[in-house]
Amino acid sequence: MRHPLDNHTILRMNGAGNEILVLDLRGLGHVLAPQEARAIAAAPGLRFDQLMALHDPLEPGDDAYMRIYNIDGSLSGACGNGTRCVAYALAREGKERLSLATQAGRIETRREAETVFTVDMGRPRLDWREIPLARAADTRSVALDPPVEGAPAQFSAVSMGNPHAVFFVGDAAAITLEDLGARLERHPLFPERANISFAQIVARDDILLRVWERGTGATKACGSAACATLVAAARAGLTDRRARVRLPGGDLHIEWRADDHVMMTGPVEFEFETRLTSKLFEGAA
């Protein structure tokens, strides 16, 4: 039987190394099921960190409604690197500025250069209930209880539309990310799981960062984690409100403005365009 996405175009891109697929479903009326997202990820060359699915806008003035899938098929509330890739894809239609609605709120983007985009990631959510955490805490410094062997005893919690736990460390390269990230993502403190970041403060405007993404694993970059880290560092007095965040895949420039909005600027790279086939989804029913 012919699948609704048979012969449908999908774009492969990356944002600072974050592996992104952009799937434009506007006008189609199809919503990806988790198993369909996993089927796409299993196709040769289409493994992703996040898949950005675009749907018809729900409100006047928006360019699209966006659903964000992790590689395990779960939904994410935000992906800054993926949103920049969407901005690039729609810039091919002549749109230099975008308004994109998501389950976590509205995101605005603007083009700065041919392959450089700024995303307004909105206001950080700092109350323990909004992140959410399993119990009341001052989110500037939360005790990791129960403790996890090898992990710092304290972390900062921030939501950028998705939950983040930021651990400040002396040497980010020394962290066993695959081991600690997998254990911390599902810690009892995080009822909706969490993105886990290990941040090394190099200077007041320079941060080294490694990230384990909820539902995906270790990634070369994570835009929302870079934003959460800058907010956490500024709240702790470790940095100013603007910094370069250096990730394995590249640099992002983050600013926590006086109006409380977090702005992220960084590059995108177009890799290729291909078409999906019905055969890809045969085992996804």
Side-chain angles (χ1 to χ4, degrees):
M1 182 178 296
R2 189 171 184 269
H3 191 275
L5 296 183
D6 184 65
N7 205 38
H8 199 79
T9 299
I10 191 166
L11 306 182
R12 165 86 180 198
M13 304 181 66
N14 77 77
N18 215 176
E19 298 174 352
I20 303 295
L21 299 181
V22 178
L23 181 62
D24 191 349
L25 301 176
R26 291 175 297 170
L28 194 61
H30 183 78
V31 177
L32 276 184
Q35 61 268 28
E36 290 174 319
R38 292 193 295 269
I40 292 172
L46 292 183
R47 188 195 183 283
F48 59 82
D49 295 324
Q50 274 77 38
L51 185 156
M52 318 295 288
L54 302 181
H55 301 272
D56 294 317
L58 303 179
E59 301 290 340
D62 287 343
D63 294 285
Y65 182 84
M66 191 163 65
R67 286 185 173 89
I68 306 169
Y69 295 83
N70 299 312
I71 196 170
D72 66 357
S74 62
L75 287 171
S76 177
C79 176
N81 288 326
T83 301
R84 292 202 316 280
C85 291
V86 168
Y88 177 89
L90 295 189
R92 304 194 308 178
E93 301 176 0
K95 297 180 178 179
E96 299 290 298
R97 291 176 176 265
L98 296 176
S99 176
L100 301 166
T102 73
Q103 67 176 26
R106 187 167 283 101
I107 299 174
E108 309 283 340
T109 75
R110 69 173 183 264
R111 191 174 203 164
E112 305 289 357
E114 180 64 24
T115 58
V116 178
F117 293 81
T118 293
V119 178
D120 182 347
M121 297 290 287
R123 295 177 174 87
R125 300 167 192 176
L126 304 174
D127 185 271
W128 68 272
R129 288 165 286 243
E130 295 178 307
I131 290 167
L133 297 178
R135 64 171 182 268
D138 178 349
T139 56
R140 288 180 178 83
S141 182
V142 184
L144 185 65
D145 185 22
V148 172
E149 185 179 357
Q154 307 282 329
F155 66 92
S156 294
V158 179
S159 172
M160 293 302 310
N162 49 2
H164 289 270
V166 181
F167 294 84
F168 293 105
V169 297
D171 183 1
I175 295 296
T176 54
L177 184 62
E178 288 74 11
D179 173 48
L180 278 180
R183 287 189 285 147
L184 290 169
E185 174 189 351
R186 298 179 180 275
H187 191 280
L189 273 173
F190 310 126
E192 296 180 8
R193 298 186 290 165
N195 298 276
I196 307 300
S197 293
F198 295 96
Q200 177 184 342
I201 305 301
V202 179
R204 292 194 65 82
D205 61 353
D206 192 9
I207 303 172
L208 287 176
L209 185 63
R210 297 177 68 203
V211 183
W212 175 275
E213 290 197 56
R214 175 185 67 165
T216 295
T219 56
K220 293 180 181 178
C222 177
S224 62
C227 294
T229 297
L230 186 277
V231 169
R235 292 182 82 207
L238 300 174
T239 66
D240 299 323
R241 292 173 69 104
R242 179 185 298 184
R244 174 180 63 166
V245 180
R246 290 188 275 155
L247 297 121
D251 295 353
L252 297 173
H253 295 272
I254 311 298
E255 180 183 5
W256 187 13
R257 297 189 316 199
D259 66 1
D260 204 28
H261 282 236
V262 182
M263 310 300 289
M264 177 192 60
T265 301
V268 300
E269 181 181 1
F270 176 80
E271 296 182 11
F272 62 81
E273 179 178 311
T274 189
R275 291 184 179 272
L276 302 174
T277 67
S278 292
K279 185 176 181 180
L280 182 68
F281 300 102
E282 286 178 355

